[in-house]
Amino acid sequence: MQIHLDQELEILRRELSIMRNLATEALVRAIRALEEGRADLARKVIEGDREIDLQENKIDGMLLAIVGLKQPVAIDLRFLMAAMKINNDLERVADKAASIAKASLEIASPSSLHGLIEPVVTMSGHSALMIRDAFDCFLGKNADHALEVISMDHELNTMNTAFYNTLLDCLRASTTDPATALALYRIASAIERVGDLAKNISEEAVYYIRGEIIRHGTRPD
Amino acid sequence: MLTMPKPSDQAAPDGIQLPAITVRNFSFYYGSNRVLHDISLRIPRNEVTALIGPSGCGKSTFLRSINRMNDLIAGTRSEGEIIVGDAEIHTPATDIVSLRRTVGMVFQRSNPFPKSIAENITYGPRLWGIRDRWQLDQIVEETLRQVGLWEEVRDRLGASALALSGGQQQRLCIARAIAVKPEILLMDEPASALDPIATRRIEELILELKERFTIVIVTHNMQQAARISDRTAFFYLGEVVEYDTTRTIFTNPRQARTEDYVTGRFG
């Protein structure tokens, strides 16, 4: 019985890795669409969201079957509980990528936005790194690094606040039209949210590895 | 009859304020073979405590030590203490009959007496001197209601207990055990020979009975231990590897051996 469970958990790990790749790839493509002003790439990201939704459903089905049929306990149960939430977090990362792609379509000529695209690209790279590391910590059972990933979120929040102030300055100086500024604000907010999702994934990794619930700054009794 | 102590105001390190059973450095031998090694634990009152572990780990021997059923086996001896209520039970002064009235037992296979349903229930109370017909009838109804059997058999109390289904027979055996009003019920895989529906009824019954009794159950069914017990002790090679709340044992055990066992990676 345990051999079968281990095999199913291994298949689940592979499917989750595919989900991680799809979600981070969507994020990277959405930012490239913004950076290069490529509407075709942005539309591909938006259309590709459907595939990621289906992958989420597929993994949910596998999780349900394993919990119902194998009745796992202890570390196996914690893995599945964490996987369930991480699956949802990754789907939301992909949603944010689609939101970024949609907002990028509203920006007429990104090349004219001197100094406003680079911070967004930097933030995006930071958030993608957080997702990658958080997920690797989950599969690699590295709770210490998962805690480091959580602390990386502060840096992203700081970048977001700085970018918000830059946008405000641009609006006050009338160097950027309001519609473009709003689109950029939505993009930066989406990236900031991706950082939050990476933080969630890290917290789930710690729960799986150590059995400690650290969400919302809580510690076990 | 053994008596249970009153609750203490002192905080207990294991969170158990009022143990029904206290075990201290208990070891048990079959001849020269030591099968239980220095067991120490406290079993709380009005809770279900599950004993789990691979075959031969000593959990049934431990269970049967709590009402000295092992005395029936030649060449056995024990060391250490098992205190039921406020009395150490492995002393020459222990009244075995009184102990087994306080600590009832239900076995893996239902074993009703080849008598009527009512006589199975009244057997124990009669031994304890109750002769009044009205009182005995009251005991029959009360105990059969407690095990959820009354509505099923009220019209055939004089029928043979052997005519009941396996699940009904096991509930009758539980009724027989509680008819003498024990404090503690020991159960040795009480549902392992039953189908899923009868098993579910026994499990629901155990959860109801813990309001009135302290229950210690041996089970090989991990899901059953998780479903019905408040605390779980994991036995391995005659030792208690881990004893904690069932929630901890099945979600985040402290010992690697416990985790390996409950997840099916050994044993």
Side-chain angles (χ1 to χ4, degrees), chain A residues 125-137:
Chain A
H126 191 86
S127 68
L129 193 68
M130 285 177 69
I131 292 288
R132 187 200 69 185
D133 281 12
F135 189 81
D136 287 351
C137 289

Side-chain angles (χ1 to χ4, degrees), chain A residues 2 6 9 71 73-78 210-211, chain B residues 223 227 249-253 259 262-265:
Chain A
Q2 187 55 43
D6 285 340
L9 293 179
Q71 301 181 348
V73 296
I75 195 165
D76 296 332
L77 181 61
R78 298 203 305 275
R210 295 185 178 167
Chain B
Q223 280 72 39
R227 281 193 297 266
I249 295 290
F250 285 95
T251 60
N252 193 16
E259 183 139 279
V262 298
T263 58
R265 290 187 167 84

Side-chain angles (χ1 to χ4, degrees), chain A residues 6-171:
Chain A
D6 285 340
Q7 285 171 346
E8 294 196 25
L9 293 179
E10 190 49 44
I11 294 169
L12 182 64
R13 283 187 188 93
R14 284 207 295 271
E15 292 297 333
L16 280 166
S17 294
I18 291 169
M19 184 71 177
R20 191 280 303 265
N21 292 343
L22 289 170
T24 49
E25 197 177 322
L27 181 64
V28 169
R29 280 182 164 194
I31 292 299
R32 198 193 309 153
L34 168 72
E35 202 176 1
E36 298 173 4
R38 285 180 56 188
D40 62 321
L41 196 54
R43 288 195 189 93
K44 273 187 182 169
V45 172
I46 295 164
E47 288 161 9
D49 195 40
R50 174 75 180 146
E51 183 190 354
I52 297 169
D53 289 344
L54 293 175
Q55 178 69 5
E56 185 198 21
N57 289 351
K58 179 182 178 184
I59 291 170
D60 269 351
M62 292 172 68
L63 284 162
L64 188 66
I66 295 172
V67 170
L69 301 177
K70 307 296 181 187
Q71 301 181 348
V73 296
I75 195 165
D76 296 332
L77 181 61
R78 298 203 305 275
F79 174 79
L80 293 167
M81 294 290 288
M84 201 172 289
K85 292 188 176 184
I86 288 171
N87 186 35
N88 182 246
D89 288 335
L90 291 171
E91 190 276 330
R92 289 165 71 194
V93 168
D95 280 348
K96 294 300 164 193
S99 298
I100 292 167
K102 281 175 193 165
S104 76
L105 291 172
E106 296 169 22
I107 297 172
S109 56
S111 56
S112 65
L113 297 170
H114 300 297
L116 289 179
I117 296 297
E118 291 82 358
V120 172
V121 172
T122 304
M123 283 176 64
S124 168
H126 191 86
S127 68
L129 193 68
M130 285 177 69
I131 292 288
R132 187 200 69 185
D133 281 12
F135 189 81
D136 287 351
C137 289
F138 171 62
L139 285 195
K141 296 175 77 172
N142 187 342
D144 291 338
H145 189 49
L147 293 170
E148 288 169 11
V149 173
I150 290 169
S151 65
M152 286 169 72
D153 194 40
H154 297 303
E155 205 177 328
L156 189 60
N157 291 342
T158 304
M159 284 192 256
N160 189 37
T161 303
F163 183 68
Y164 175 76
N165 289 328
T166 303
L167 278 179
L168 273 183
D169 291 343
C170 289
L171 284 169

